[in-house]
Amino acid sequence: MKKKKMIYIITAILTMCASNLYAYEGGNGSADSPYLVATAQDLQNIKDEPTACYRLVENIDLTDFAWSTFDFSGTLDGDGHEISYLTIPAGGNGVGLFGNFDRPGVIRNLTLRNFDIVCGNWAGCLVSTSGNWEDKKSGGTIENCRAIDCNISGGECIGIFAGTTGGLTVRNCAAFNCNVTGTANVGGIIGDSEKNAGWEYGVYDCVFLGSIKASGENTGGICGFINTTTGLKIENCVTYGDITSTGRISGGICGGTNWNTDKCTINNCSSYMNITSDMVGGIIGKSFGLKMNNCYATGVLKAKKPANPADDVWSGGLVARSLNSSDVNDCYFSGTITADDGAYAGGLFGQKNAATMSKLYYNTEGAATPFADGADPSSFDIYGLTATQMKEISNFSFSDMSKWTGTDGDMTPYLATQAAPVKINTCDMSGIHGTCGTDVEEITIIDESYYFTLDVPITINNETFKAEFPNDEVLDGERLVVIAKGKDTMWSPAVKAVVEKVTTEITKIEQEKDKKQSNAIYNMQGVRITRPAKGLYITNGKKYIAR
């Protein structure tokens, strides 16, 4: 009997020791006292207690760290810190910072910076999968997170925050200057949604600014593909950038939906994406009964000659192809849409079928007809306006005009829930000066010429803003994109600027023709160096980022 008790005591001691093999900076893993994470090894060791609570207390650099993806269903609070330079050069299926991420898991207040992932299927920079109809698991919640200058390239179901999802909620998250490449079901925020859930879920108040490339079907600025009968919602989201697909079915907000998605909605969203694809839509590619309200698209859309002429010939400024009675109201398309021979494009719908609609507007200078399928426009509540007329909000009569705002003559109307666009007074090598709305709390500047986010001091005060550029930050002639956000607003319409041209040491380097200098590396002050650390450099007349 004594021997038995001794065994039990020893077993209990070993169990207690096993649960505390790793010492964090503090905390006990509870909600009230989360483990404090300060190093790369701290972060990796979360795998030993994946249901506990954690909080970052330092920025974590994963350069040269051999990261191993693991499943997580606890709580991780980034507390405003960032995780940077995760590199997975040849990953398989299901990779990312975390693997499968399930309820009641929560990831919040975290920034991912300079991730570079090459992978197989079902992968994301933050989590690979979140809930899955195949294994009956349910997705968690990702909120108040950022991804900056991140790249991910893989196969099917690829996104910045998650690859394959089921019941996942993504709220108030942003991807700036991110590049996503995949085959099918590729999205800027999530790759696809495949789960029927008994709770409300979706993508809310998110923004994507970057490039998305695909070779298969279903490519979208927010979500690539939706396959759920219980009603995924995409609300208050904005997309900027480019979608290029050698495949089919692409949209500025969502690529396509399955036949069972009549309860899904896209509300209060705007897309500034330029898109080239078979079956292209400014908001959505293929819609099976989806509901859309108060949305607009402004980009340059190009419908390629379809690989499958029997199915992929239709493209539209809002919806490429509508099936199962899609319902679209209070929306507009102000961009341009063109079609190669063998494809057909309309300013609103490619093929509308049994779609219902009201208060829709399109740019008559950007599209020859509202419906590519030949439907009679006079039978519907739709209106064509010239490009100039579309810049006058008084020419619109949406069912609830309080949801819209604008400045006559400057740009087309935007959503009342968006921050007002900034106005730029000067943009030169020293910085940008301009004005902004009273509610603006944050301004982001993207370098379109060299594809990176400017990490520069920005001061906002009394409806004015000033971004200061250090000597090594920009070159003359660079193209910049400026967007703004208030505390309780969506991201603003994008404003573009060009850095004023001046003579600098950099231009002298770019003009240098001496072949002996080929492949030489210079810092941004024009001084030749032998080996760069992290930062911006010039070689062969081109700017690049050393990571």
Side-chain angles (χ1 to χ4, degrees), residues 109-149:
N109 307 324
L110 178 65
T111 294
L112 313 180
R113 189 184 295 272
N114 293 116
F115 278 32
D116 196 352
I117 297 175
V118 178
C119 55
N121 302 322
W122 324 305
C125 288
L126 184 54
V127 303
S128 64
T129 57
S130 180
N132 193 316
W133 63 270
E134 292 176 335
D135 57 18
K136 309 301 182 184
K137 293 182 178 180
S138 305
T141 299
I142 299 171
E143 57 189 12
N144 303 323
C145 291
R146 298 286 175 91
I148 299 173
D149 300 337

Side-chain angles (χ1 to χ4, degrees), residues 19-20 24 26-30 33-37 49 52-55:
S19 65
N20 293 280
Y24 291 93
N28 59 22
S30 67
S33 181
Y35 288 128
L36 304 183
V37 177
E49 293 184 69
C53 298
Y54 300 85
R55 178 164 60 86

Side-chain angles (χ1 to χ4, degrees), residues 72 82 146 165 250 303 320 403 543 547:
F72 180 66
E82 67 178 46
R146 298 286 175 91
T165 73
S250 299
K403 294 183 180 294
K543 192 175 181 182
R547 294 179 173 178

Side-chain angles (χ1 to χ4, degrees), residues 341-542:
D341 290 342
Y344 304 93
L348 296 173
F349 289 80
Q351 185 182 44
K352 70 169 199 62
N353 284 317
T356 56
M357 64 197 76
S358 66
K359 309 295 184 185
L360 303 186
Y361 298 80
Y362 75 100
N363 176 14
T364 56
E365 298 173 36
T369 179
F371 306 123
D373 61 2
D376 181 6
S378 64
S379 302
F380 302 92
D381 187 14
I382 64 170
Y383 308 89
L385 300 174
T386 66
T388 299
Q389 289 173 331
M390 296 202 84
K391 293 181 180 179
E392 304 285 338
I393 193 170
S394 56
N395 290 324
F396 293 81
S397 182
F398 295 121
S399 57
D400 185 353
M401 289 301 295
S402 69
K403 294 183 180 294
W404 296 85
T405 189
T407 303
D408 280 352
D410 288 343
M411 62 173 55
T412 57
Y414 54 94
L415 296 167
T417 48
Q418 287 183 270
V422 303
K423 293 184 178 180
I424 296 174
N425 297 330
T426 62
C427 177
D428 56 32
M429 298 282 288
S430 66
I432 298 179
H433 296 184
T435 59
C436 57
T438 57
D439 58 348
V440 169
E441 293 187 347
E442 182 178 0
I443 290 175
T444 293
I445 305 173
I446 305 293
D447 187 319
E448 271 196 321
S449 297
Y450 296 102
Y451 308 106
F452 68 99
T453 306
L454 294 182
D455 187 11
V456 298
I458 301 177
T459 304
I460 303 172
N461 186 34
N462 293 328
E463 299 181 40
T464 65
F465 75 96
K466 178 181 179 181
E468 299 180 47
F469 298 160
N471 290 334
D472 62 350
E473 197 64 33
V474 299
L475 300 178
D476 50 359
E478 286 192 33
R479 302 183 308 275
L480 307 179
V481 175
V482 185
I483 55 176
K485 187 182 186 303
K487 180 180 179 181
D488 298 312
T489 71
M490 299 165 57
W491 286 90
S492 72
V495 174
K496 297 191 175 186
V498 177
V499 178
E500 291 183 1
K501 293 183 179 296
V502 294
T503 301
T504 68
E505 291 302 313
I506 297 306
T507 56
K508 293 178 184 178
I509 291 171
E510 292 179 318
Q511 293 166 0
E512 190 174 340
K513 301 300 183 181
D514 186 350
K515 292 183 179 180
K516 293 180 181 179
Q517 301 299 314
S518 178
N519 298 321
I521 301 173
Y522 298 84
N523 65 19
M524 299 304 290
Q525 287 75 39
V527 178
R528 187 172 179 178
I529 58 176
T530 56
R531 184 178 181 182
K534 293 176 184 177
L536 301 176
Y537 295 90
I538 294 289
T539 185
N540 295 327
K542 295 183 179 180

Side-chain angles (χ1 to χ4, degrees), residues 16 24 69 142 158 237 276 284 297-298 331 341 354 439 462 521:
M16 290 173 62
Y24 291 93
T69 300
I142 299 171
I158 306 296
C237 292
T276 300
I284 187 169
T298 70
C331 299
D341 290 342
D439 58 348
N462 293 328
I521 301 173

Side-chain angles (χ1 to χ4, degrees), residues 212-223:
I212 305 173
K213 297 180 180 179
S215 58
E217 62 182 24
N218 301 316
T219 309
I222 295 295
C223 175

